[in-house]
């Protein structure tokens, strides 16, 4: 199962000048800056959140539909641990990719089965076992993920003219809808999700991300929706991917642990 790359980052707090120097103003409640503050507060509290996501379309080498679910645990710097399961629907097969990451340590399982139930590939070769690795960059959370709880992405889109409006209710919670569009020179996929890059000439794909984020009265994200239009620097037909992520259970305790030792192998 091969994976790719996509978008993110940057904006500053408002400041006003008064006698004695500059004072940074607190973000207005309901602004995208307030969302960044609320998410970072969860990091400092070492909180957690559960999520479910659906991706459809994209460059032809990706699956037609990818369903992902799991949970994140935080430290002050961001996502410290994650347990995610990804189900990929191909025309003639279904893939199941599970990854547990705790700090620098990662544990993965990856299988693909045909529609008649036969295994096309298994990594590791024994079903139920795990491969252990350290610093496996593709599955560890980074600041370049296209995600509604990534401060890097939120700061980037805030700097590109995001707008805010009444978002109605979502799952019984009153929301504010933040939205906008951002162009990035690099878009792709890896184990941790869709990512972006801001440097020219580094990626096979770049493109446009049109995004929406629904945040609750506490400014914590409840839903994130993005339409990514992939284009090649040399031109050609673009590819479109839609992604929807729902966040639930902010602060609800989440336990993420490594697999038992007897199920871990060094096989690749």
């Amino acid at each position: 199962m091969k994976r790719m790359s996509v978008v993110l980052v940057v904006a500053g707090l408002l400041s006003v000048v008064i006698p004695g120097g500059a004072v940074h103003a607190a973000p207005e409640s309901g602004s995208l800056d307030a969302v960044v503050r609320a998410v970072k507060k969860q990091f400092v509290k070492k909180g957690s959140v559960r999520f479910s996501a659906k991706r459809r379309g994209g460059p032809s080498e990706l699956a037609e539909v990818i369903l992902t679910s799991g949970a994140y645990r935080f430290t002050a710097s961001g996502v410290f641990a994650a347990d995610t399961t990804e189900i990929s629907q191909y025309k003639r097969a279904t893939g199941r990719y599970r990854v547990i990451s705790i700090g620098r340590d990662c544990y993965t399982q990856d299988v693909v089965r045909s529609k008649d139930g036969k295994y096309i590939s298994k990594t590791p070769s024994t079903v139920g076992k795990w491969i252990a690795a350290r610093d496996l960059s593709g599955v560890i959370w980074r600041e370049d993920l296209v995600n509604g709880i990534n401060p890097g992405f939120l700061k980037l889109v805030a700097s590109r003219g995001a707008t805010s409006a009444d978002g109605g209710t979502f799952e019984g919670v009153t929301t504010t809808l933040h939205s906008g569009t951002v162009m990035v020179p690099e878009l792709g996929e890896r184990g941790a999700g869709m990512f972006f890059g801001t440097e020219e000439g580094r990626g096979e794909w770049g493109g446009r991300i049109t995004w929406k984020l629904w945040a609750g009265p506490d400014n914590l994200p409840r839903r994130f929706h993005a339409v990514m239009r992939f284009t090649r620097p040399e031109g050609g037909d673009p590819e479109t991917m839609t992604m929807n992520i729902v966040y639930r259970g902010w602060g609800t305790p989440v336990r993420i642990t490594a697999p038992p030792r007897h199920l871990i192998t060094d096989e690749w």
Side-chain angles (χ1 to χ4, degrees), residues 143-155:
E143 277 285 294
D144 62 353
L145 291 180
V146 182
N147 196 299
I149 66 168
N150 180 5
F153 179 75
L154 297 178
K155 290 178 181 179

Side-chain angles (χ1 to χ4, degrees), residues 2 54 57 59 62 107 112 127 129 161 186 221 225 239 260:
K2 294 183 179 179
K54 181 177 183 178
L62 300 181
Y107 309 89
V112 180
V127 176
K129 290 208 169 184
E186 186 180 11
H225 178 79
E239 301 275 0

Side-chain angles (χ1 to χ4, degrees), residues 45-65:
K45 291 169 60 177
K46 298 183 179 181
S48 58
V49 70
R50 297 185 181 277
F51 73 94
S52 59
K54 181 177 183 178
R55 304 203 308 261
R56 181 184 295 274
S60 57
E61 62 264 39
L62 300 181
E64 294 179 327
V65 178

Side-chain angles (χ1 to χ4, degrees), residues 18 62 150 190 255 257:
I18 61 173
L62 300 181
N150 180 5
R190 64 170 186 265
R255 188 166 179 258
T257 59

Side-chain angles (χ1 to χ4, degrees), residues 136-261:
L136 191 60
S137 61
V139 304
I140 295 176
W141 181 279
R142 302 292 186 195
E143 277 285 294
D144 62 353
L145 291 180
V146 182
N147 196 299
I149 66 168
N150 180 5
F153 179 75
L154 297 178
K155 290 178 181 179
L156 172 69
V157 297
S159 72
R160 305 294 174 86
T163 62
S164 302
D166 182 355
T169 60
F170 178 70
E171 296 187 337
V173 175
T174 301
T175 66
T176 298
L177 172 61
H178 307 280
S179 60
T181 299
V182 62
M183 297 292 297
V184 293
E186 186 180 11
L187 273 176
E189 183 203 28
R190 64 170 186 265
M194 303 307 298
F195 73 93
F196 72 92
T198 56
E199 295 184 22
E200 298 285 349
R202 292 190 58 179
E204 179 182 6
W205 298 91
R208 181 184 70 218
I209 303 174
T210 302
W211 62 274
K212 296 180 180 179
L213 175 67
W214 287 261
D218 53 6
N219 290 309
L220 289 172
R222 296 307 198 273
R223 180 188 173 198
F224 176 72
H225 178 79
V227 178
M228 287 165 270
R229 191 166 177 81
F230 294 78
T231 55
R232 295 183 186 272
E234 66 272 21
D237 294 336
E239 301 275 0
T240 300
M241 171 185 284
T242 60
M243 178 171 69
N244 188 66
I245 307 175
V246 174
Y247 308 98
R248 297 185 175 98
W250 282 101
T252 301
V254 167
R255 188 166 179 258
I256 298 176
T257 59
R261 284 194 175 186

Side-chain angles (χ1 to χ4, degrees), residues 95-115:
R96 183 181 185 275
Y97 176 66
R98 186 178 176 192
V99 56
I100 296 173
S101 63
I102 304 171
R104 296 169 56 194
D105 296 314
C106 306
Y107 309 89
T108 61
Q109 297 175 324
D110 197 352
V111 299
V112 180
R113 302 178 74 172
S114 63
K115 295 301 183 183

Side-chain angles (χ1 to χ4, degrees), residues 22-54:
V23 175
H24 293 287
E28 179 184 352
S29 178
S31 71
L32 203 53
D33 285 340
V35 175
V36 174
R37 285 282 294 272
V39 170
K40 286 188 172 182
K41 194 171 183 179
Q42 291 295 310
F43 293 172
V44 171
K45 291 169 60 177
K46 298 183 179 181
S48 58
V49 70
R50 297 185 181 277
F51 73 94
S52 59
K54 181 177 183 178

